[in-house]
Amino acid sequence: MRFLRALGVSLSVLGVRALNSTYDYIVVGGGPSGIITASRFAEAGKKVLLLERGVGPTVATGANDTLGWNHTLTAIDLPGLSADVGNLDAWNEYICSDVAGTAACVLGGGVTVNYMVFVYPQDRDFDDKWPRGWKAADVKGASERLYARNAGSIQPSADGKRYDQGLYKVLSGFFGKLGWKSVDMIAAPNEKHNVFSYPAWNIKDQVRAGPVRTYLPEAKERKNFSLRLRAKVNRVVREGSRVTGVEIVDELRNRTEIVRLSASGRVVLAAGALSTPRLLFNSGIGPDAQIETAKKSGVAVPPREEWISLPVGVGVKDHPIFSINVNTTGSYAPLDYDSILDGSDSDIELYRNGSGPLTMGKHRMIFFTSNSVNGHTRFYQGSCAPAGQGVVSITAYMTHGLSSSGVLGLDEKGNTVFEKSPYLQTADDVTAATMFIDEMVDAITDPSTGFELQTYTNTSAILGSLTAGIHYTSTAKMGTDDGRYNGTSVVDTNTKVYGMDNLYVVDGSIHPDLPTGNIQATIMVVAEAAAAKILAH
Ligand SMILES: Cc1cc2nc3c(=O)[nH]c(=O)nc-3n(C[C@H](O)[C@H](O)[C@H](O)COP(=O)(O)OP(=O)(O)OC[C@H]3O[C@@H](n4cnc5c(N)ncnc54)[C@H](O)[C@@H]3O)c2cc1C
Ligand SMILES: *[C@@H]1O[C@H](CO)[C@@H](O)[C@H](O)[C@H]1NC(C)=O
Ligand SMILES: *[C@@H]1O[C@H](CO)[C@@H](O)[C@H](O)[C@H]1NC(C)=O
Ligand SMILES: *[C@@H]1O[C@H](CO)[C@@H](O)[C@H](O)[C@H]1NC(C)=O
Ligand SMILES: *[C@@H]1O[C@H](CO)[C@@H](O)[C@H](O)[C@H]1NC(C)=O
Ligand SMILES: *[C@@H]1O[C@H](CO)[C@@H](O)[C@H](O)[C@H]1NC(C)=O
Ligand SMILES: *[C@@H]1O[C@H](CO)[C@@H](O)[C@H](O)[C@H]1NC(C)=O
Ligand SMILES: *[C@@H]1O[C@H](CO)[C@@H](O)[C@H](O)[C@H]1NC(C)=O
Ligand SMILES: *[C@@H]1O[C@H](CO)[C@@H](O)[C@H](O)[C@H]1NC(C)=O
Ligand SMILES: *[C@@H]1O[C@H](CO)[C@@H](O)[C@H](O)[C@H]1NC(C)=O
């Protein structure tokens, strides 16, 4: 107590307010991984503080920018507007301005603004490269716990009908002729070669689902759980290998504070794969050069003798996206977002009954395939959405099995930056991507289809259309080869940072490998599994 008071005095001299409450768990970041782990800690009877730098995106979490025709819903909630999310006012408010790629700085993280595609991981996503204790069989219980609360849906309309199926009709005919198989991607997650499916979306009760709706309300009911919004964490406060608290900026009051852990407390980082590395650098954990930069950016990093040399940021991965746009001459078009927003859209009446196209996400079909180069298999996902009258935009990702990675670092303004791009860094990745696109181009341009490529009209142009998949991982990789001793791993298989006693990471940063599909379901499965490991450890 004397010590705490002494600390309080010295901190207040520095203009930093020290608070009295202490917590068993401080979870940093209210994205999917943070909400899920914090909820499970609270359920286990722990005193938990969840710190989120952004605002709440739903009416229940404080948003007031509701739709004119339904004052319990924001635009973010409505599945039918998810395709237009980048044009909403909320986008500018919610997107992080200080990271190397696209990430959301709002409660719910990426799951608040994403396109809702919800891909159950196939077994080999875990079995190929995750360490022992994290194979598909090991995380089965975690996936069951997730799906019990947040199952995703392939049929979100309450009347059991599928709407706006023009695109599906044309493309299922196309793939059918190629000999590909129709599957239910939720019921058969291991079918990932030459298959197509109706899309699975993160939708429940006709609104965008995700942990803000499926975990947080129950956690908030618990006395020992608190959520603080607009609380941006700068760094963890260390006494050597122990974390004693976190330094935050209260963005409403523009005030710096220290929030303390209880004597046996733990800090769990869940700021996302592009932000957690900054928290580690700022806390004296990572390559020396990055910690030096953190110091230059004005952060009170620990003294040099306390730095822990770990390969944070090294090996960052993402799915590259290639754009394949095709005029199919089919009959379909994107929804009319302006009329949905202003309330004049004729589908709104049906939505009031829980049905119709506004209950669906933007895609109309998802396909998967794989190929092999030098005996090594790589997977591909194609997400197909209407882009114009009869025109489909295929977002084609190279996914599980790709061998490229990059390096994430920090600049002197405190932004995370790519020091080396994660995309197409190996010759085999380039060969494999080229093979896949060549085959797609050949099939699409076969005269029997009547299809026509648009914008990118040959393989090299499609390869050149590369954009970020926004499924970043592996910036604080989990594994048994301790990074302090020339290994590649930053956290152990309990998700604890090597060299620290009570610091954990649970977000996309720790994934040692990329999954076969869009990553959010995998992020949530891993968070469920991590919460159980941390509580048991
Ligand atoms: C535009 C977009 C589209 C996407 N589309 C899809 C899709 O259709 N399907 C799919 O499966 N995946 C998609 N993704 C990816 C998916 O949403 C992310 O992989 C997932 O949200 C990552 O979860 P996370 O918990 O690791 O981190 P995040 O979701 O990034 O959450 C991190 C949280 O921490 C908070 N935070 C960060 N720094 C601090 C700090 N210093 N202090 C306090 N809080 C902090 C952030 O505000 C955020 O709430 C998309 C992502 C984006 C951005
Ligand atoms: C913290 O505790 C001290 C003494 O225990 C008390 O004087 C002070 O008001 C408390 N501060 C806050 C912010 O609760
Ligand atoms: C709340 O947390 C405190 C501190 O860990 C614990 O002693 C208490 O039992 C918890 N209460 C509940 C209702 O879980
Ligand atoms: C809506 O919320 C914003 C930000 O949270 C706030 O500035 C604004 O005053 C609120 N508007 C109303 C009408 O409550
Ligand atoms: C608004 O939408 C929600 C979710 O679909 C629904 O439960 C509610 O009844 C709607 N309210 C109105 C006034 O239509
Ligand atoms: C926040 O406080 C700092 C000083 O602590 C000051 O330099 C800065 O201008 C303030 N920002 C705002 C938005 O008030
Ligand atoms: C698609 O093709 C049809 C005829 O094949 C043509 O009339 C139409 O203009 C094309 N659409 C676009 C957007 O190019
Ligand atoms: C909505 O449901 C009501 C009651 O079942 C029905 O009368 C009405 O026609 C439905 N609206 C639409 C647009 O289907
Ligand atoms: C591919 O398309 C691009 C852009 O349309 C064009 O510049 C290039 O010459 C084409 N390459 C081949 C091999 O046809
Ligand atoms: C790391 O590897 C280098 C060269 O292989 C070796 O010189 C060094 O001693 C190793 N360091 C540790 C900590 O194992």
Side-chain angles (χ1 to χ4, degrees), residues 30 79 86 105 186 202 208 253 285 319 366 377 382 426 439 447 501 528:
C105 282
I186 288 184
N202 178 39
R208 178 187 293 268
R253 300 186 186 83
I285 299 166
H319 295 142
I366 308 274
T377 303
T426 65
E439 281 171 24
D501 301 337
E528 275 282 7

Side-chain angles (χ1 to χ4, degrees), residues 75-76 81-82 84-93 341:
I76 287 291
L81 282 174
S82 59
D84 194 41
V85 72
N87 296 316
L88 298 173
D89 294 340
W91 178 263
N92 296 322
E93 187 189 354
L341 279 166

Side-chain angles (χ1 to χ4, degrees), residues 70-201:
N70 184 325
H71 295 298
T72 69
L73 296 179
T74 64
I76 287 291
D77 293 326
L78 190 75
L81 282 174
S82 59
D84 194 41
V85 72
N87 296 316
L88 298 173
D89 294 340
W91 178 263
N92 296 322
E93 187 189 354
Y94 292 172
I95 293 302
C96 311
S97 58
D98 54 6
V99 294
T102 304
C105 282
V106 60
L107 185 66
V111 172
T112 293
V113 301
N114 72 24
Y115 302 110
M116 304 192 304
V117 176
F118 196 76
V119 185
Y120 281 37
Q122 66 164 330
D123 287 350
R124 61 181 294 179
D125 288 353
F126 289 99
D127 288 344
D128 285 348
K129 284 210 183 131
W130 285 67
R132 246 201 295 173
W134 289 86
K135 301 295 186 189
D138 301 312
V139 301
K140 189 163 186 290
S143 7
E144 285 165 1
R145 290 195 293 281
L146 169 69
Y147 302 148
R149 290 198 183 207
N150 199 111
S153 174
I154 210 161
Q155 177 45 288
S157 184
D159 60 8
K161 292 188 196 151
R162 288 201 169 83
Y163 290 84
D164 193 21
Q165 290 299 292
L167 189 162
Y168 186 89
K169 203 172 156 210
V170 176
L171 282 195
S172 57
F174 168 73
F175 285 118
K177 275 190 195 143
L178 294 179
W180 292 29
K181 195 166 91 176
S182 154
V183 299
D184 175 331
M185 61 187 279
I186 288 184
N190 288 336
E191 299 245 29
K192 288 287 183 281
H193 179 68
N194 288 0
V195 296
F196 60 91
S197 171
Y198 296 108
W201 293 298

Side-chain angles (χ1 to χ4, degrees), residues 482-487:
D482 184 336
R484 290 172 299 169
Y485 310 108
N486 283 348

